[in-house]
Amino acid sequence: MPKPKVGLYWCASCGGCEEAVVDLAEKILDVVAAVDIVFWPVALDFKKEDVEALSDGEMTAAFINGAVRLSEQEEMVHLLRRKAQYVIAFGSCAHLGGIPGLANLTDRQSIFQYAYRDAPTVVPDDGIVPRQQVTVPQGDLKLPEFWERVRALDQVIDVDYYLPGCPPTPTVIANALTALLEGKLPEKGAVLAGTRALCYECDRAATKPEKGCTLSEIKRPWEIIADPEKCLLAQGILCLGPVTRGGCDAVCVKGNMPCTGCFGPLDRVRDFGAKGLSAIASLLDSNDEAEIERLVNSIPDVAGVLYRYSLPASVLFKSAQTKGDAP
Ligand code: SF4
Ligand code: SF4
């Protein structure tokens, strides 16, 4: 019986998700033995033409990581959608827009202005910014278009399943591959990780105050030496475990770092940032307006904390989209 054909592709991404596949260590050999990898530009010399040559639906699954920022990425994910029976958004960037999605707090012109003109490392400023088309003696060179906005994968194509995480953990990846190979995938649209909040699987949960924590001070991880046994939230460190989907085995918390929310919201939560904000509001140990303002202002970069992985999928961004603000 022929092996299932699988493709892997990256869009606007840091490369960490590709690393995560390699981090499967010896399990990667089982994967390679069980599937026929027909596209994986970062590791194997396949080209777009090889994907085009496949019949529609011939690929069993396409694992796509990264957000969609360029016209080339948009074209490739449409092609992979056509060729694959299942499209799996791999990692926070594909799932919710991820870290690159924070660029939606600004616009293309400002990004180019800073990256190619104002950044201290740009010396001298020669006024050159990327253009879509340049004519050189050898002919016309074309670059992909840099869209105005970053989008999550399902804002561009239909997605069957989501593998959350920045990057997804080896266990989550291995479980998803096993489910795919054994034909035991859940209902379409499922996020292939835990169904309960991270606190439920955190070793420190027993030290979380029973009546819930209250924060009279918000500390950053480097400001204190956190007790490695005690709930970080109870120590004043903003840990997003209560509002974040579990399934990662609390790897960051085990390393004495707070959860920053990369597994995204739980089912039925429409907007991770809004949920996080409401959780923080319920933790603040004051009814005094000035004190509440002081506490909230002590959170550096509130938008970056609450929407670190999900700005393009937020209600705010979706409403901007309907006003014709994207791509
Ligand atoms: S999800 Fe995280 S590791 Fe994966 S590409 Fe995005 S930023 Fe990198
Ligand atoms: S708030 Fe963070 S440290 Fe505390 S129990 Fe939840 S995940 Fe663990």
Side-chain angles (χ1 to χ4, degrees), residues 46-319:
F46 288 110
K47 307 286 187 224
K48 181 181 165 199
E49 295 73 38
D50 298 310
V51 182
E52 286 170 332
L54 297 169
S55 344
D56 287 358
E58 186 175 339
M59 208 186 276
T60 304
F63 291 83
I64 302 177
N65 74 77
V68 180
R69 161 63 99 179
L70 302 176
S71 55
E72 179 191 39
Q73 293 157 354
E74 181 157 6
E75 186 187 336
M76 283 304 299
V77 301
H78 277 293
L79 176 63
L80 288 164
R81 175 67 278 182
R82 249 196 7 259
K83 303 296 175 183
Q85 291 158 38
Y86 297 111
V87 165
I88 297 162
F90 188 105
S92 308
C93 296
H95 178 201
L96 301 164
I99 301 276
L102 285 170
N104 286 357
L105 291 170
T106 182
D107 56 33
R108 173 174 47 191
Q109 198 188 340
S110 310
I111 291 169
F112 277 28
Q113 177 70 28
Y114 186 79
Y116 296 99
R117 301 242 161 103
D118 299 342
T121 47
V122 180
V123 179
D125 173 10
D126 55 10
I128 296 176
V129 295
R131 278 174 288 157
Q132 264 183 274
Q133 186 157 331
V134 181
T135 303
V136 293
Q138 292 79 8
D140 288 342
L141 294 177
K142 285 190 179 153
L143 282 178
E145 186 163 1
F146 186 95
W147 294 132
E148 183 68 26
R149 301 287 173 196
V150 174
R151 285 172 293 166
L153 190 58
D154 65 6
Q155 290 168 330
V156 181
I157 56 168
D158 188 37
V159 168
D160 297 291
Y161 296 102
Y162 303 85
L163 261 183
C166 183
T169 56
T171 307
V172 162
I173 300 171
N175 289 346
L177 283 167
T178 307
L180 175 73
L181 294 173
E182 292 180 353
K184 291 182 180 160
L185 283 164
E187 206 178 311
K188 182 176 164 155
V191 179
L192 306 176
T195 51
R196 300 205 295 181
L198 178 65
C199 290
Y200 283 96
E201 67 194 49
C202 176
D203 292 342
R204 305 183 193 209
T207 62
K208 204 168 148 193
E210 252 177 50
K211 285 188 184 151
C213 303
T214 49
L215 294 172
S216 53
E217 211 63 58
I218 295 174
K219 301 180 193 108
R220 299 176 78 180
W222 52 266
E223 287 181 300
I224 59 165
I225 296 177
D227 180 338
E229 308 287 331
K230 200 171 155 195
C231 170
L232 291 163
L233 210 43
Q235 300 181 65
I237 294 175
L238 210 50
C239 179
L240 293 175
V243 293
T244 302
R245 182 185 297 277
C248 63
D249 299 324
V251 281
C252 296
V253 180
K254 282 188 178 124
N256 223 11
M257 290 300 288
C259 169
T260 56
C262 76
F263 265 46
L266 287 152
D267 290 339
R268 295 191 297 277
V269 172
R270 284 181 62 212
D271 188 302
F272 182 85
K275 185 72 182 169
L277 185 61
S278 118
I280 292 170
S282 67
L283 290 170
L284 299 182
D285 189 18
S286 177
N287 287 322
D288 177 70
E289 202 176 320
E291 176 61 1
I292 291 171
E293 198 172 334
R294 184 191 69 78
L295 279 168
V296 171
N297 286 341
S298 71
I299 304 172
D301 181 17
V302 176
V305 168
L306 294 171
Y307 289 106
R308 181 170 302 181
Y309 305 100
S310 64
L311 189 65
S314 68
V315 171
L316 270 178
F317 177 72
K318 283 184 187 157
S319 96

